[in-house]
Every structure is written in C-alpha cells, then in structure tokens.
Amino acid sequence: MKKIAVFASGNGSNAENIIKYFEHNNTAIVDIVLTNNTTAKVIDRAKSLGVEVMVFSRNDFYSTAKVIEKLKTRKIDLLVLAGFMWLVPSSLIQEYPSKIINIHPALLPKYGGKGMYGDFVHQAVSAAKEVQTGITIHYVNDKYDEGAIIAQKRVDILPGENPDTIADKVH
C-alpha cells in the first residue's frame, strides 16, 4: 500500500476529502498531514479522522531536514499539496522527484503563480469574466504552479456568479 503525505496551510477541506477517499481504498492511505500553520483548521480535521499531524516552522522547512526526515521515517511515497501556501524547497523536490503533486483551484497556466491561491484565484477569475474555470493537478517543480499538468477538470461559470459561487463550484 502506498503512503501519502498531505501538506495544507488552512481550512483543510481538500485534505479531508483526500483522507476520506483513501479510507476505503486498499491502494493508498493518507499517513500524515503536514502544516505550516499552528491555527489551521486542517489540524482538527486530520486528527478527527485519525491521521497524524506535523506542524513545522519556516526554518524547519527551508533550513533543516526535519520535514524530509519525518517523511522518510514514515516511508512516504507521494506528497500532495492541498491548499499549501509555501514554495517547496529544492531539497524536498530532489528527495521526491515526480512524486509531489499540487491541487490548484484554476485552469493553469491562467491564474497561477505567487499569491494566486484560494479566494484570490476566484476573485481574479470573476474579474476577468471567464466563462470556465476549474482545477489543475500538476507536478511540483521549483516555481509556483509551473510543473507539468497531470489533469484538469473544468466547470462552467454562469452569468452573475461571484467569487464565492465560483469557489463552491470548483470545490
């Protein structure tokens, strides 16, 4: 069975859905959730589902091997970024080549890059009067949202929809 580590920085709804999806699946399991935010709702969501949580600091992530050591100790096979806000350091990318994926709430290459996350994405999509949006799942490289695209799922935006209704549709 493959072991997944989910990285999240906030609410954790995507992390929760991923955990629940693999609860009854014998091919993979979410083994740990990692967060950089001590007050993130994802902590309670993961713990309530019986998944271990590791909270780490900026120093832990960028200047030490603490996160990599934890992943190696738990024999993690795949890393999934689900609402994780920091750029992944090259040391982690080198340790897990082609084994880190990100879920981005827009159809890349549009609305990607530094600062393009969560509601900021949906606000930009709405302001541009797009008729479609969606999600992109892509491999992570050393730049925000520029890794090779694995899959995209589109949703139509109807006249009069606002950033909140767009976000609900994308979720």
Side-chain angles (χ1 to χ4, degrees):
M1 179 175 298
K2 299 289 184 184
K3 289 184 171 184
I4 300 169
V6 174
F7 284 70
S9 295
N11 189 34
S13 58
N14 283 337
E16 180 178 356
N17 288 334
I18 294 166
I19 293 165
K20 286 180 175 179
Y21 177 83
F22 286 108
E23 277 181 335
H24 306 291
N25 182 314
N26 61 0
T27 60
I29 185 170
V30 175
D31 187 66
I32 188 169
V33 169
L34 297 97
T35 184
N36 59 317
N37 180 351
T38 59
T39 62
K41 290 182 183 177
V42 71
I43 296 169
D44 292 332
R45 287 181 187 259
K47 287 181 177 178
S48 73
L49 293 167
V51 177
E52 182 178 329
V53 175
M54 176 186 179
V55 179
F56 58 89
S57 68
R58 182 170 290 280
N59 184 64
D60 293 340
F61 198 52
Y62 291 110
S63 301
T64 75
K66 193 174 196 175
V67 171
I68 291 173
E69 288 169 5
K70 183 69 157 181
L71 297 170
K72 289 173 99 176
T73 298
R74 298 190 71 87
K75 297 183 167 99
I76 298 298
D77 300 294
L78 179 70
L79 284 56
V80 177
L81 310 184
F84 184 66
M85 301 301 149
W86 290 354
L87 187 65
V88 176
S90 59
S91 58
L92 190 55
I93 294 168
Q94 289 168 8
E95 192 67 41
Y96 289 90
S98 300
K99 293 184 179 180
I100 308 173
I101 62 173
N102 183 44
I103 303 167
H104 184 77
L107 299 172
L108 294 174
K110 288 184 173 184
Y111 310 106
K114 186 173 175 73
M116 275 294 162
Y117 60 89
D119 290 338
F120 295 117
V121 172
H122 307 304
Q123 289 164 4
V125 167
S126 179
K129 301 192 183 321
E130 295 285 354
V131 296
Q132 276 192 332
T133 190
I135 66 162
T136 301
I137 299 169
H138 66 92
Y139 288 108
V140 172
N141 64 15
D142 61 348
K143 296 186 176 87
Y144 285 109
D145 302 322
E146 291 187 19
I149 293 172
I150 299 166
Q152 291 185 313
K153 176 70 177 167
R154 298 172 186 278
V155 295
D156 292 327
I157 300 173
L158 302 174
E161 288 191 296
N162 61 43
D164 291 334
T165 59
I166 292 168
D168 288 343
K169 243 182 203 185
V170 169
H171 275 103

